Each structure stands twice: as structure tokens, then as C-alpha cells.
Amino acid sequence: YALQQLTGYLRGYESVTRLELGDEHVRVYEIAGANGRMWIAWYDPGFLLLPGDTIPESTVLLDVGSSEITIETLILQSGQSVPSREVLQTQDAAALLSLTPTPIFISFEQTSD
């Protein structure tokens, strides 16, 4: 299901750009396509995490250009076929995100002018 989830977001993409946010361990990629843009983000600690290890995290302020975003977590658990989603309000079109090694997909409702 995780691969289906990822390919669903990448379908029809035109470009993928890594955003430089001042921390080499923060991975934020902007995906642009005909339907607009979205992001995939996670924190890469640079070392292997084993069961029972403390999950490292970092925060990042991401300018999304929208008043509301949807955060969807990558499906990782066996038997899970539906991702968890959360709608967040932004402040001044920017979102303060907590990143862990589990990738998240960040999207918003695209409006046409």
C-alpha cells in the first residue's frame, strides 16, 4: 500500500525539487504537475533506527501558499490500507511541521483563478 500511495502522488508529475531548508537531515521535496503542487517531507537522521530507539524529529516552517493543508502519513503498518490524514490550519500561508523518519505528504485544495 505504501508504494501505491507514493505512486499516486507522483502520477503526472512534471518536476521534483528538493528544498534547501538549512538542515541536511530535513528532506522536503516539492512535486509540481498539471494539477498543482504538493510536498513529501521527512527527517533523515543519518543512522539506522532499531525497534525501541527514540524517534528523532525536527521542525520546519514550510511556505505552502494556502490557509489549510492536509497531512497524510506514509502507510507503514502491516494490514493498514488507508493512510492517516490530518487537516491543519496555516499561519500566513506557512505551516510549522514536525518531521520524523516517517514520510508525510503535504497537499492543499487547488483553486483555479
PDB file of all heavy atoms in Angstrom, residues 45 47-57 101:
ATOM      1  N   PRO A  45      17.766  10.989   9.962  1.00  0.00           N
ATOM      2  CA  PRO A  45      18.779  11.191  10.997  1.00  0.00           C
ATOM      3  C   PRO A  45      20.182  10.784  10.572  1.00  0.00           C
ATOM      4  O   PRO A  45      21.159  11.140  11.221  1.00  0.00           O
ATOM      5  CB  PRO A  45      18.289  10.327  12.155  1.00  0.00           C
ATOM      6  CG  PRO A  45      17.503   9.241  11.499  1.00  0.00           C
ATOM      7  CD  PRO A  45      16.857   9.892  10.293  1.00  0.00           C
ATOM      8  N   PHE A  47      21.292   7.672  10.447  1.00  0.00           N
ATOM      9  CA  PHE A  47      21.696   6.409  11.064  1.00  0.00           C
ATOM     10  C   PHE A  47      20.487   5.494  11.145  1.00  0.00           C
ATOM     11  O   PHE A  47      19.341   5.939  11.048  1.00  0.00           O
ATOM     12  CB  PHE A  47      22.308   6.621  12.458  1.00  0.00           C
ATOM     13  CG  PHE A  47      21.442   7.401  13.405  1.00  0.00           C
ATOM     14  CD1 PHE A  47      20.454   6.781  14.162  1.00  0.00           C
ATOM     15  CD2 PHE A  47      21.612   8.781  13.546  1.00  0.00           C
ATOM     16  CE1 PHE A  47      19.653   7.498  15.035  1.00  0.00           C
ATOM     17  CE2 PHE A  47      20.817   9.508  14.419  1.00  0.00           C
ATOM     18  CZ  PHE A  47      19.838   8.860  15.162  1.00  0.00           C
ATOM     19  N   LEU A  48      20.762   4.201  11.306  1.00  0.00           N
ATOM     20  CA  LEU A  48      19.714   3.187  11.367  1.00  0.00           C
ATOM     21  C   LEU A  48      18.962   3.278  12.684  1.00  0.00           C
ATOM     22  O   LEU A  48      19.575   3.356  13.755  1.00  0.00           O
ATOM     23  CB  LEU A  48      20.333   1.791  11.220  1.00  0.00           C
ATOM     24  CG  LEU A  48      19.380   0.608  11.339  1.00  0.00           C
ATOM     25  CD1 LEU A  48      18.381   0.621  10.186  1.00  0.00           C
ATOM     26  CD2 LEU A  48      20.160  -0.695  11.346  1.00  0.00           C
ATOM     27  N   LEU A  49      17.647   3.255  12.611  1.00  0.00           N
ATOM     28  CA  LEU A  49      16.803   3.217  13.810  1.00  0.00           C
ATOM     29  C   LEU A  49      16.348   1.787  14.038  1.00  0.00           C
ATOM     30  O   LEU A  49      15.861   1.127  13.123  1.00  0.00           O
ATOM     31  CB  LEU A  49      15.581   4.110  13.630  1.00  0.00           C
ATOM     32  CG  LEU A  49      15.857   5.604  13.579  1.00  0.00           C
ATOM     33  CD1 LEU A  49      14.604   6.363  13.177  1.00  0.00           C
ATOM     34  CD2 LEU A  49      16.357   6.085  14.916  1.00  0.00           C
ATOM     35  N   LEU A  50      16.497   1.323  15.253  1.00  0.00           N
ATOM     36  CA  LEU A  50      16.067  -0.017  15.621  1.00  0.00           C
ATOM     37  C   LEU A  50      14.826   0.063  16.501  1.00  0.00           C
ATOM     38  O   LEU A  50      14.567   1.106  17.119  1.00  0.00           O
ATOM     39  CB  LEU A  50      17.204  -0.737  16.359  1.00  0.00           C
ATOM     40  CG  LEU A  50      18.484  -0.934  15.548  1.00  0.00           C
ATOM     41  CD1 LEU A  50      19.590  -1.500  16.414  1.00  0.00           C
ATOM     42  CD2 LEU A  50      18.223  -1.816  14.339  1.00  0.00           C
ATOM     43  N   PRO A  51      14.055  -1.029  16.572  1.00  0.00           N
ATOM     44  CA  PRO A  51      12.889  -1.019  17.454  1.00  0.00           C
ATOM     45  C   PRO A  51      13.291  -0.633  18.874  1.00  0.00           C
ATOM     46  O   PRO A  51      14.309  -1.101  19.394  1.00  0.00           O
ATOM     47  CB  PRO A  51      12.380  -2.465  17.394  1.00  0.00           C
ATOM     48  CG  PRO A  51      12.861  -2.964  16.060  1.00  0.00           C
ATOM     49  CD  PRO A  51      14.194  -2.291  15.850  1.00  0.00           C
ATOM     50  N   GLY A  52      12.535   0.262  19.462  1.00  0.00           N
ATOM     51  CA  GLY A  52      12.814   0.717  20.820  1.00  0.00           C
ATOM     52  C   GLY A  52      13.657   1.983  20.870  1.00  0.00           C
ATOM     53  O   GLY A  52      13.760   2.613  21.921  1.00  0.00           O
ATOM     54  N   ASP A  53      14.292   2.350  19.754  1.00  0.00           N
ATOM     55  CA  ASP A  53      15.065   3.590  19.718  1.00  0.00           C
ATOM     56  C   ASP A  53      14.133   4.799  19.823  1.00  0.00           C
ATOM     57  O   ASP A  53      12.983   4.752  19.371  1.00  0.00           O
ATOM     58  CB  ASP A  53      15.859   3.716  18.407  1.00  0.00           C
ATOM     59  CG  ASP A  53      17.067   2.814  18.355  1.00  0.00           C
ATOM     60  OD1 ASP A  53      17.407   2.209  19.389  1.00  0.00           O
ATOM     61  OD2 ASP A  53      17.668   2.715  17.269  1.00  0.00           O
ATOM     62  N   THR A  54      14.647   5.863  20.383  1.00  0.00           N
ATOM     63  CA  THR A  54      13.908   7.121  20.403  1.00  0.00           C
ATOM     64  C   THR A  54      13.808   7.640  18.977  1.00  0.00           C
ATOM     65  O   THR A  54      14.803   7.657  18.249  1.00  0.00           O
ATOM     66  CB  THR A  54      14.637   8.154  21.288  1.00  0.00           C
ATOM     67  OG1 THR A  54      14.724   7.623  22.610  1.00  0.00           O
ATOM     68  CG2 THR A  54      13.900   9.472  21.315  1.00  0.00           C
ATOM     69  N   ILE A  55      12.614   8.038  18.586  1.00  0.00           N
ATOM     70  CA  ILE A  55      12.391   8.545  17.238  1.00  0.00           C
ATOM     71  C   ILE A  55      12.854  10.000  17.167  1.00  0.00           C
ATOM     72  O   ILE A  55      12.295  10.857  17.853  1.00  0.00           O
ATOM     73  CB  ILE A  55      10.902   8.452  16.839  1.00  0.00           C
ATOM     74  CG1 ILE A  55      10.379   7.019  16.973  1.00  0.00           C
ATOM     75  CG2 ILE A  55      10.686   8.993  15.433  1.00  0.00           C
ATOM     76  CD1 ILE A  55      11.049   6.015  16.078  1.00  0.00           C
ATOM     77  N   PRO A  56      13.871  10.284  16.348  1.00  0.00           N
ATOM     78  CA  PRO A  56      14.333  11.671  16.233  1.00  0.00           C
ATOM     79  C   PRO A  56      13.336  12.496  15.431  1.00  0.00           C
ATOM     80  O   PRO A  56      12.614  11.968  14.577  1.00  0.00           O
ATOM     81  CB  PRO A  56      15.651  11.533  15.482  1.00  0.00           C
ATOM     82  CG  PRO A  56      15.518  10.287  14.693  1.00  0.00           C
ATOM     83  CD  PRO A  56      14.632   9.385  15.507  1.00  0.00           C
ATOM     84  N   GLU A  57      13.281  13.782  15.721  1.00  0.00           N
ATOM     85  CA  GLU A  57      12.411  14.651  14.945  1.00  0.00           C
ATOM     86  C   GLU A  57      12.989  16.045  14.844  1.00  0.00           C
ATOM     87  O   GLU A  57      13.909  16.413  15.577  1.00  0.00           O
ATOM     88  CB  GLU A  57      10.987  14.679  15.497  1.00  0.00           C
ATOM     89  CG  GLU A  57      10.814  15.055  16.932  1.00  0.00           C
ATOM     90  CD  GLU A  57       9.348  14.953  17.350  1.00  0.00           C
ATOM     91  OE1 GLU A  57       8.526  15.751  16.885  1.00  0.00           O
ATOM     92  OE2 GLU A  57       9.052  14.060  18.148  1.00  0.00           O
ATOM     93  N   PRO A 101      11.324  10.273  10.828  1.00  0.00           N
ATOM     94  CA  PRO A 101      11.761   9.463   9.690  1.00  0.00           C
ATOM     95  C   PRO A 101      10.616   8.897   8.838  1.00  0.00           C
ATOM     96  O   PRO A 101      10.854   8.387   7.744  1.00  0.00           O
ATOM     97  CB  PRO A 101      12.562   8.337  10.350  1.00  0.00           C
ATOM     98  CG  PRO A 101      13.099   8.964  11.588  1.00  0.00           C
ATOM     99  CD  PRO A 101      11.967   9.830  12.070  1.00  0.00           C
TER     100      PRO A 101
END
